[in-house]
Amino acid sequence: MSNRTIEKIKTLTEMHGAPNFEHHVREYMKQMMTPYVDEFVYDRMGGFYGVKRCGKPNAKRVMVAAHMDEIGFMVTEVTSQGFIKFTALGGVANDIWQGQRLKIMTQQGEEIIGVVANIPKHFRSGKEQAPRIEDLLLDIGESDADAVFNRGIQIGDAIVPHTELLQLSAYRYAAKAWDNRYGCVIALELLEQLKDVTLDFDLYVGANVQEEVGLRGAEAAARLVDPDVAFVVDCSPANDMKGRQGLSGVLGEGALLRIKDGTMLLKPAFKTFLQDVALRHGVPYQHYISPGGTDGGAIHKANIGVPTAVIGVCARYIHSTDAVFDIRDYEAAKLWLTASVQALNLETIEKLKYQ
């Protein structure tokens, strides 16, 4: 694993990018992609794609879609005692946030860190239940509402966990937002890998907004790109703390071949294509089924249908302050995605579309 890859992972996972507040992630990605694309195209929700042109008239379009947003929160109220109340942006459990550090992004771009209030054991009756998200309080060290507002905080500001990338062992790391800064990193490195490669099609590589609140940005992006074939790159939950639990992901066993989820079924022809590529290139992978979904759920239904596959990785404890992931799974996914894109030609694209 190169130091440049780890630097990208650190930068992107530590970045502030809640749903509808992805602009810092977008600007970083654009900067990193500029040397490798011919132009950028944008949808009106905030998604963007760098286009690597093949130079052929009426070229086919292949889309590689990440999403920029992470789970987070939004400021809804400031109490007279100076505590901040908030609501969830995306799917989060209620019982994991007390005592955790969160950071607010003000409209001036300043990050303000606070601690979610919790009741010490000394003051507990033993009858307490996990509070609703809307009942939690963020403490930034102020004693009244005016002091909070004077620091530039406004109703509607975005909040995400305050977490730094941590290397746990030779291959495993902990970070916030690996769902889905994984996709952002692999999108950047795919373009680097293909810098001197000529393709049979125009390649659109980029990222959508608001995936965590219902795949909203993917609908706009699919209309923008109008792809013939699409790859979605996303991170999924691992359920391996007690060993393998069906097809629910094991750290260190390779990239994910997502065959079914709550929003999409993988076309048999696309499954065969991916398996053939993995076999030829020695890519370790594991079959995966999820009750959730990815942007593929919206993209594969666009227009008259888009053959879509998810090349993912799994991580433990996603949608929390820290996800634990295995960097070897990322390397497997990068090899698989890069080889799959290069294996496409006009004949294969037609087969994927209509078989």
Side-chain angles (χ1 to χ4, degrees):
M1 173 57 57
S2 73
N3 289 334
R4 293 186 68 247
T5 296
I6 298 301
E7 288 171 5
K8 292 189 195 82
I9 292 172
K10 179 177 175 60
T11 298
L12 280 163
T13 58
E14 293 180 4
M15 203 167 277
H16 206 294
N20 203 41
F21 298 88
E22 300 93 345
H23 48 284
H24 292 293
V25 179
R26 181 170 56 247
E27 291 308 310
Y28 173 80
M29 290 186 69
K30 282 178 56 184
Q31 176 186 347
M32 298 295 287
M33 291 165 65
T34 295
Y36 307 105
V37 299
D38 298 300
E39 64 174 307
F40 289 101
V41 295
Y42 307 87
D43 63 53
R44 295 171 187 169
M45 290 187 67
F48 81 104
Y49 283 79
V51 187
K52 178 179 169 67
R53 300 282 184 195
C54 68
K56 299 178 180 180
N58 302 314
K60 300 294 184 184
R61 300 182 178 192
V62 173
M63 179 185 199
V64 177
H67 71 84
M68 292 176 276
D69 57 314
E70 62 188 290
I71 59 94
F73 307 94
M74 178 185 286
V75 175
T76 58
E77 182 183 342
V78 179
T79 72
S80 58
Q81 291 81 24
F83 293 99
I84 295 164
K85 302 184 77 171
F86 49 87
T87 188
L89 295 176
V92 295
N94 291 4
D95 59 349
I96 62 173
W97 300 103
Q98 291 175 287
Q100 301 293 338
R101 294 181 182 182
L102 305 180
K103 58 183 179 182
I104 303 169
M105 176 68 72
T106 71
Q107 292 188 22
Q108 292 73 38
E110 182 184 358
E111 292 185 348
I112 297 176
I113 299 167
V115 178
V116 180
N118 68 91
I119 303 172
K121 181 176 176 60
H122 312 67
F123 303 140
R124 297 191 182 202
S125 66
K127 299 179 181 180
E128 290 81 7
Q129 297 180 347
R132 301 179 307 154
I133 295 296
E134 287 76 11
D135 294 330
L136 295 173
L137 299 170
L138 183 62
D139 187 344
I140 65 166
E142 301 298 346
S143 56
D144 57 52
D146 287 342
V148 172
F149 290 127
N150 287 339
R151 292 181 65 177
I153 292 171
Q154 299 183 30
I155 304 300
D157 285 347
I159 307 171
V160 298
H162 176 59
T163 307
E164 296 181 350
L165 178 70
L166 175 64
Q167 185 169 3
L168 300 173
S169 63
Y171 298 109
R172 294 189 177 176
Y173 292 78
K176 77 168 183 65
W178 191 231
D179 174 18
N180 184 34
R181 305 295 156 69
Y182 147 73
C184 297
V185 175
I186 204 172
L188 298 180
E189 297 208 322
L190 172 67
L191 286 171
E192 294 174 6
Q193 295 283 314
L194 298 179
K195 177 182 179 181
D196 299 317
V197 175
T198 300
L199 302 171
D200 278 349
F201 47 82
D202 290 347
L203 180 64
Y204 288 70
V205 179
N208 308 322
V209 298
Q210 297 190 45
E211 190 269 357
E212 298 292 1
V213 289
L215 317 184
R216 298 175 187 176
E219 294 186 28
R223 293 190 187 100
L224 170 74
V225 176
D226 189 16
D228 293 279
V229 171
F231 295 91
V232 171
V233 282
D234 204 347
C235 174
S236 302
N239 185 25
D240 65 346
M241 287 77 78
K242 296 181 180 179
R244 179 174 292 280
Q245 308 290 315
L247 301 182
S248 58
V250 177
L251 261 63
E253 293 199 5
L256 302 183
L257 178 62
R258 180 182 282 248
I259 56 176
K260 174 183 181 291
D261 65 28
T263 64
M264 192 186 84
L265 298 170
L266 178 62
K267 287 183 70 172
F270 217 150
K271 178 173 178 280
T272 298
F273 168 78
L274 289 171
Q275 288 177 314
D276 289 346
V277 171
L279 181 63
R280 289 199 304 272
H281 293 271
V283 178
Y285 71 89
Q286 51 188 311
H287 292 87
Y288 187 81
I289 291 177
S290 173
T294 73
D295 277 341
I299 294 169
H300 86 288
K301 297 185 294 184
N303 300 319
I304 61 170
V306 180
T308 303
V310 181
I311 292 183
V313 295
C314 62
R316 296 172 184 159
Y317 331 125
I318 68 170
H319 288 206
S320 71
T321 57
D322 284 272
V324 173
F325 62 93
D326 193 306
I327 201 68
R328 294 171 294 185
D329 296 336
Y330 171 79
E331 287 292 331
K334 183 170 72 172
L335 174 59
W336 203 6
L337 177 64
T338 304
S340 296
V341 169
Q342 290 182 268
L344 289 175
N345 54 39
L346 300 185
E347 179 182 0
T348 304
I349 290 172
E350 290 303 303
K351 287 181 179 179
L352 292 177
K353 287 165 68 174
Y354 294 107
Q355 272 193 359

